Amino acid sequence: MTLEATHRYDDIIAMPHHQSRTHARMALRSRAAQFMPFAALTGYDAIIMEAARETHQRVLLDEDAQRELNAKLQRALDQRESRHRLAITYFRKDGSKDGGDYITAEGIIHLIDRERKALVLEDHTAIPLEEIIALDDLDKPGDGKMRV
């Protein structure tokens, strides 16, 4: 660069910055947004996260485990009036991928919905009977209540 090129704008360099009389000044937040990264593939991150999300395969109980679970469930139903708090672990199928997740719901049995084949807790959580894999009594041992 020559000395002549650096002095080319000396006549305007000290002038005040132009302010428009018709357009309001842009807010700093809006100005900063102009320089934010551009996401050419909108939604791509969500697709990647969904693909990376893990699901579990449904476990099938053997006959002995199923018989024991059925006995626990029957005892819990027989003792419904004593209002035992139960922890019920069941499989919930994933709506968008193969497999699903194991959920543990805690609560007191309200009823058995024979039409939907579901166990309904007092908080209206409906648990499909065929998806239950574990049932545990949350009441403390030795409190006089019968254990499930």
Side-chain angles (χ1 to χ4, degrees):
M1 227 168 154
T2 65
L3 187 58
E4 209 173 282
T6 59
H7 293 288
R8 190 170 175 185
Y9 299 104
D10 282 348
D11 60 331
I12 62 170
I13 200 78
M15 292 182 74
H17 181 72
H18 172 72
Q19 296 291 326
S20 174
R21 291 184 185 126
T22 56
H23 298 289
R25 188 172 181 137
M26 184 183 285
L28 286 178
R29 185 178 193 92
S30 298
R31 290 184 60 167
Q34 295 180 63
F35 301 101
M36 290 180 69
F38 172 67
L41 300 174
T42 304
Y44 184 69
D45 289 339
I47 292 169
I48 295 297
M49 293 299 288
E50 175 63 19
R53 185 173 57 88
E54 290 186 21
T55 58
H56 301 94
Q57 294 303 314
R58 184 173 184 259
V59 173
L60 296 175
L61 298 176
D62 62 21
E63 276 188 44
D64 292 335
Q66 188 64 52
R67 197 173 9 260
E68 184 180 332
L69 180 63
N70 288 342
K72 281 183 173 183
L73 182 58
Q74 188 59 51
R75 281 194 303 272
L77 290 170
D78 291 344
Q79 299 173 6
R80 213 171 25 188
E81 286 76 34
S82 61
R83 300 181 51 79
H84 285 263
R85 282 188 47 78
L86 303 173
I88 304 165
T89 303
Y90 64 100
F91 182 76
R92 183 171 60 192
K93 185 167 176 23
D94 193 294
S96 60
K97 294 176 79 169
D98 286 338
D101 286 316
Y102 283 95
I103 311 291
T104 299
E106 295 181 3
I108 298 169
I109 296 175
H110 178 61
L111 60 91
I112 291 282
D113 185 339
R114 297 194 192 286
E115 189 175 304
R116 293 191 306 178
K117 296 180 182 176
L119 181 70
V120 180
L121 302 181
E122 286 188 343
D123 67 356
H124 305 289
T125 301
I127 302 169
L129 290 169
E130 63 187 23
E131 302 298 344
I132 297 174
I133 64 159
L135 183 76
D136 296 304
D137 190 345
L138 295 176
D139 292 328
K140 298 175 191 165
D143 60 357
K145 295 182 180 176
M146 197 169 165
R147 302 285 293 159
V148 176

